[in-house]
Every structure is written in C-alpha cells, then in structure tokens.
Amino acid sequence: MKNHVYNFSAGPAVLPEEALKKAQENLLGLPGVGMSVLEISHRSKPFAEIIEAAEMNIRKLMNIPENYRVMFLQGGALLQFAMLPMNLLGGKSADYIITGTWSKKARSEAKLVGETRVIWDGGESNFNSLPTNEELRAAVNSDAAYVYYTSNETIQGVQFPTEPEVDVPLVCDASSEFFYKPINIQKYGCVYACAQKNCGPAGVTLVIMRDDFVARSPELPSLLNYKKLSAENSMLNTPPCFSIYMVKLVTDWLLNTVGGVEKMYEINKAKAALLYDVIDGSDGFYLGHAQKSCRSLMNVPFKMQTDALDKVFLEEAAKENLCSLAGHRSVGGFRASIYNAMPVQGVECLASFMKNFMQKHG
Ligand SMILES: *Cc1c(COP(=O)(O)O)cnc(C)c1O
C-alpha cells in the first residue's frame, strides 16, 4: 500500500498504484525470465517484448495510424525543444504560439537553431488565455515548416480544448496531458510528451511523428536524428529500459483497468469540475489563474486574495495528507496537478479541504 498521501506534484508526478505494484511484484525477476528488467539486455527478447507492447498500447490508446512512428527518446522535453527545429526546419521558418512558460522556453531553444516566428504571445496577461482560431489563421505563415504549440501549459494551467485549426501541420508539446483524452492525430506532424507528468516516470520522452516529418532529418549526429532513431526503433544505443517498462505498465492500466482514454477523459472532466466548482463558488476567496474558457483539466493553479494565508493553507493541507500543492513562483498561490493517476478520492479530499479552509478563514 501507498502511505495514503495524495500527491499533487506537477512532475514527476503520481503514478497508478496498480502499475507501481506490478513493478514491485516483478522487480526481482520478470515472470518466466528470472532476471530483473533492470538487469537484462535491451537487445534481449524479453525487453523487445516490453518495448513492442508499450508501443502497441500507445498506438491502441491514441489511435495512431501506420504512417506515424512511435519513438522512446531521452533528454526530456527540453531536448525536443532543440531537436524539433534541428530536424524539421529544412531551411524554412517555424511559427510558435506562446501560451506559457513551456512554449516560451521551446521557442527560445528553437531560436538557437534556426528561424522562428512568434504568431501569438499571451505574456501580457501572464498567460491566462489562448488565441482564437481566427487570430491564429490570420497570423500563420502558410510557408511555415510547422506550427508549434503547447497543448497544456503545466505552470499556468492553460489548456487548448481542441487543436488549433490551421493549415500547417502541428507540432505539439503534450507533456502534461498526453493520454488524458483522445486526440485527432492526423492534425499533427508530431506530438510528444516527456513521460514524468502523465505517462510514466522520468527518463523517457514519447515522440509520435508522421513519416514525412521523420524523413525531413538532415545529416545530424545520430542521437539527434529522428530518421536514424526511428530506423533503429529507438535503440540506436541503450534506451531508458526501466522507464519504458513503466510506460508499458501505465498504459496497461489505462487500457485494461480504466478502459481507454475516452473513459479517462470523462473521469478527468469530473475530477477537474470538483475543484473548479469550489473556486467558482468561493465568492472570490479562491481565484483561478486561467480564464474559464481555457482552464486546464490537468493542472489547477489558484490563489487567495493575498498570500498571507498561503503557508497556513499548505501546512493544514499537509496534515490532511494533501501534498505538493505549492504554486509555481511565476504564478504564486497553489497548484493542484490532477493527472490521470490521481484518484477521484484525492480530488474529493482536496475539494472538501478547500471548502473547510474557506469556512474557517474566510
Ligand atoms: C515538464 C514540462 C516540460 C519539461 O520537461 P523535461 O522533461 O523536464 O525537459 C516541457 N513541457 C511541458 C508542457 C512540461 O510540463
């Protein structure tokens, strides 16, 4: 059993208890293998079966067609910020939609590599809103190599309800939401996610890329080259075996216990509503950061009128076993990350704690 603490960390974050238990059960020896997943060769048959099963799970869950590659890469999302333009620009420029800390960072890395244009920037309102499709369509450069966006801004709690409607293929950082609901993969040249928010532990990044995007890679060092990485099924060198194994267990849970991402989405909507209902019904005691039309189902940043009670809130929450609720310094207050693996009961506890806290201090 876990120690009954609800972990609202933004990442690395809560994992499904079932996946952790399975890993624990089989840590000393994989069934029928007699050696730990931590000990076996990445070229061995048991590991080949693990990485193939992980890929199959991902393809099934996200309905990924044959003309997309699934890669398991290292270096986190941050390396993708640079690898994407290195591989995909092809002498052109790319359009960036800046909706928060992570897209801003992605663009500043891309700028070191090639030409980029910012087509929308929400910085003036401290990233609490999103562009409309009209704004985007008017701003997109039709000759752009790709349009880059961050579907869920983990720090600001701003989430695109649907993909931006533009005529240029999308490249999307879905790090803090991948697997939270179904997506229409055909709209993407690439969608990627570091695992440690909603897909597994730190150490592996899932990169889903259309074949014609993979084919764009110019001559680059092997480990930075999608064409080479994909040709070798992410095993150009030793991959992060244990992290990939955990992604397999997390996706097993999503498929078999939860019943798929559509079901997950229903649960995620219900969980987020519990918190937003408390915030909206608090008569201004709690203030959400993001505008209502784009607030995130994964990360819920909120604060109080002043920060005078912030410390008390965190201390009293910890006494109720509600942990890792401090907000990011750029937004202040609190942030409840309620990824797929956060049980409904955890969110219910937090919602009732917030109501009680308001009654006591409001
Ligand atoms: C956490 C996060 C990142 C950074 O991921 P690393 O793996 O630490 O590089 C990038 N984008 C988003 C949306 C994130 O939530």
Side-chain angles (χ1 to χ4, degrees), residues 188-199:
Y188 300 84
C190 172
V191 54
Y192 72 97
C194 57
Q196 71 271 20
K197 276 59 186 275
N198 209 26
C199 309

Side-chain angles (χ1 to χ4, degrees), residues 73-326:
L73 305 185
Q74 305 195 55
L78 186 58
L79 184 58
Q80 295 308 309
F81 294 172
M83 260 176 90
L84 289 160
M86 283 168 113
N87 283 270
L88 301 179
L89 284 180
K92 292 197 207 170
S93 170
D95 286 356
Y96 277 71
I97 305 172
I98 311 297
T99 53
T101 306
W102 289 117
S103 43
K104 195 171 165 187
K105 181 92 180 160
R107 197 262 171 159
S108 65
E109 289 290 299
K111 241 168 60 170
L112 301 169
V113 172
E115 201 191 325
T116 57
R117 284 182 282 219
V118 172
I119 58 168
W120 194 85
D121 188 329
E124 235 164 66
S125 60
N126 198 15
F127 300 118
N128 71 349
S129 64
L130 290 178
T132 62
N133 280 322
E134 291 68 47
E135 284 175 291
L136 288 179
R137 270 200 293 268
V140 161
N141 296 285
S142 56
D143 60 346
Y146 56 84
V147 169
Y148 184 99
Y149 79 111
T150 303
S151 49
N152 182 59
E153 286 285 357
T154 321
I155 291 173
Q156 285 80 15
V158 167
Q159 187 170 36
F160 280 81
T162 54
E163 292 88 4
E165 291 285 343
V166 293
D167 292 330
V168 173
L170 299 168
V171 168
C172 175
D173 175 0
S175 288
S176 48
E177 66 157 49
F178 202 59
F179 298 141
Y180 100 107
K181 73 163 187 185
I183 58 171
N184 180 2
I185 195 89
Q186 315 275 0
K187 294 192 173 162
Y188 300 84
C190 172
V191 54
Y192 72 97
C194 57
Q196 71 271 20
K197 276 59 186 275
N198 209 26
C199 309
V204 66
T205 298
L206 312 180
V207 179
I208 322 292
M209 191 175 280
R210 211 169 61 196
D211 284 337
D212 61 305
F213 267 55
V214 173
R216 285 189 195 179
S217 295
E219 273 306 311
L220 282 169
S222 309
L223 214 48
L224 300 175
N225 187 320
Y226 293 123
K227 209 193 280 178
K228 289 186 181 166
L229 286 160
S230 146
E232 295 298 325
N233 290 321
S234 313
M235 290 214 267
L236 212 47
N237 67 340
T238 316
C241 299
F242 189 74
S243 299
I244 293 169
Y245 171 68
M246 286 305 302
V247 169
K248 185 217 171 256
L249 297 184
V250 170
T251 49
D252 280 345
W253 168 77
L254 271 171
L255 270 171
N256 304 324
T257 303
V258 177
V261 285
E262 240 144 278
K263 292 250 174 65
M264 194 69 250
Y265 186 39
E266 293 307 313
I267 298 168
N268 283 329
K269 280 191 282 194
K271 284 193 293 184
L274 289 170
L275 297 187
Y276 288 124
D277 284 352
V278 174
I279 293 169
D280 293 343
S282 75
D283 210 12
F285 183 81
Y286 296 117
L287 306 164
H289 179 73
Q291 287 179 4
K292 279 190 188 177
S293 58
C294 58
R295 55 195 185 181
S296 170
L297 303 193
M298 295 280 100
N299 310 95
V300 181
F302 60 95
K303 52 184 163 186
M304 294 182 273
Q305 304 276 354
T306 73
D307 60 10
L309 286 171
D310 282 11
K311 227 179 121 222
V312 184
F313 182 96
L314 292 173
E315 281 167 6
E316 292 188 9
K319 280 190 208 142
E320 308 275 329
N321 294 324
L322 304 166
C323 295
S324 315
L325 282 164

